Amino acid sequence: MSADTRQSLTNGFGHKRQSFRHWRGQRPFWGGMLTLLAGIPIMYVPYQNLTLGSLTIRMSTTAGAGSLIIGVLLVVLGLTMWFQPQSRVFAGVAAILLALVSLVVSNFGAFLIGFLLGLIGGALGVSWVPGKTVAAEPAAPAERAERTEQAERTEQADRAEEAGHPAEDAGTDAGTGPASDNTAVSGASPADGVDAYDGNGRHRAG
């Protein structure tokens, strides 16, 4: 058998196991299992003979048909919990009642074995509730770190861009600075010429 064949068989078994776990989680599996098992000894014990040496003890009673009916109903209720989980409360209560009735009908509930199994299985069926939907998982740490780093880079680029604009404006002002320093003082009329007043505010002659 090659490695690919083993891997395919392993993957197939794992897929079936995953499907079974998903199916089991959507219903009261163990409650149905115990209820189903409770019906087997209740049906079996009353129709068997117990031999002690040369002494044969017949276990069946006049209510043997009742034991058979109770056992069959418990098996049906167990299957109902599996394949009709919406009826789990009814099936659980019915299983508990049948387990109690088996105490007096079927040799003390098949010597308390079927009684205890039916009682526990019915209780599990009644108490089971569907699981809640799992909320979305938070982002992975690596993804969160990548988002944070990207946000920091964007912020640094914005800061560098904002810091570049004042430098360009300052260079433009520096180029026009001397011309503005040599302009005439406010208040000189255009008819007096550019040199009517110098930069110190004194009037030039001629």
Side-chain angles (χ1 to χ4, degrees), residues 10 20 48 71 85 88 150 153 160 163 167 169 172-173 176 185 188 190 193:
T10 303
F20 174 73
Q48 299 303 313
R88 63 188 181 276
Q150 185 177 2
R153 290 178 180 176
D169 296 341
T172 304
D173 294 342
T176 59
V185 180

Side-chain angles (χ1 to χ4, degrees), residues 1-187:
M1 184 181 295
S2 63
D4 295 337
T5 305
R6 292 196 197 96
Q7 185 176 4
S8 63
L9 291 176
T10 303
N11 292 339
F13 176 75
H15 179 69
K16 291 179 180 179
R17 183 178 180 182
Q18 188 75 16
S19 301
F20 174 73
R21 290 182 64 182
H22 178 71
W23 178 84
R24 185 183 67 184
Q26 294 179 343
R27 62 204 73 242
F29 176 79
W30 295 112
M33 174 68 76
L34 294 178
T35 303
L36 190 150
L37 293 176
I40 296 176
I42 291 177
M43 287 188 297
Y44 178 79
V45 171
Y47 290 93
Q48 299 303 313
N49 297 328
L50 178 63
T51 303
L52 298 175
S54 60
L55 180 62
T56 301
I57 302 175
R58 187 170 180 82
M59 309 293 291
S60 61
T61 62
T62 56
S67 300
L68 180 63
I69 292 173
I70 291 174
V72 171
L73 288 177
L74 286 173
V75 172
V76 171
L77 291 174
L79 295 176
T80 301
M81 293 182 191
W82 280 359
F83 299 102
Q84 295 292 334
Q86 62 271 18
S87 303
R88 63 188 181 276
V89 177
F90 166 77
V93 172
I96 293 173
L97 293 177
L98 289 175
L100 293 173
V101 172
S102 68
L103 285 173
V104 295
V105 174
S106 179
N107 296 324
F108 296 101
F111 301 109
L112 298 179
I113 298 174
F115 166 72
L116 293 176
L117 290 176
L119 199 65
I120 297 173
L124 290 176
V126 172
S127 61
W128 184 87
V129 291
K132 296 182 180 179
T133 304
V134 180
E137 296 182 358
E143 185 177 355
R144 290 199 299 268
E146 183 178 355
R147 291 181 181 177
T148 304
E149 184 178 357
Q150 185 177 2
E152 291 179 355
R153 290 178 180 176
T154 305
E155 186 177 356
Q156 291 177 0
D158 294 340
R159 290 179 180 176
E161 185 178 357
E162 292 176 358
H165 287 299
E168 294 176 0
D169 296 341
T172 304
D173 294 342
T176 59
S180 60
D181 292 341
N182 294 330
T183 53
V185 180
S186 177

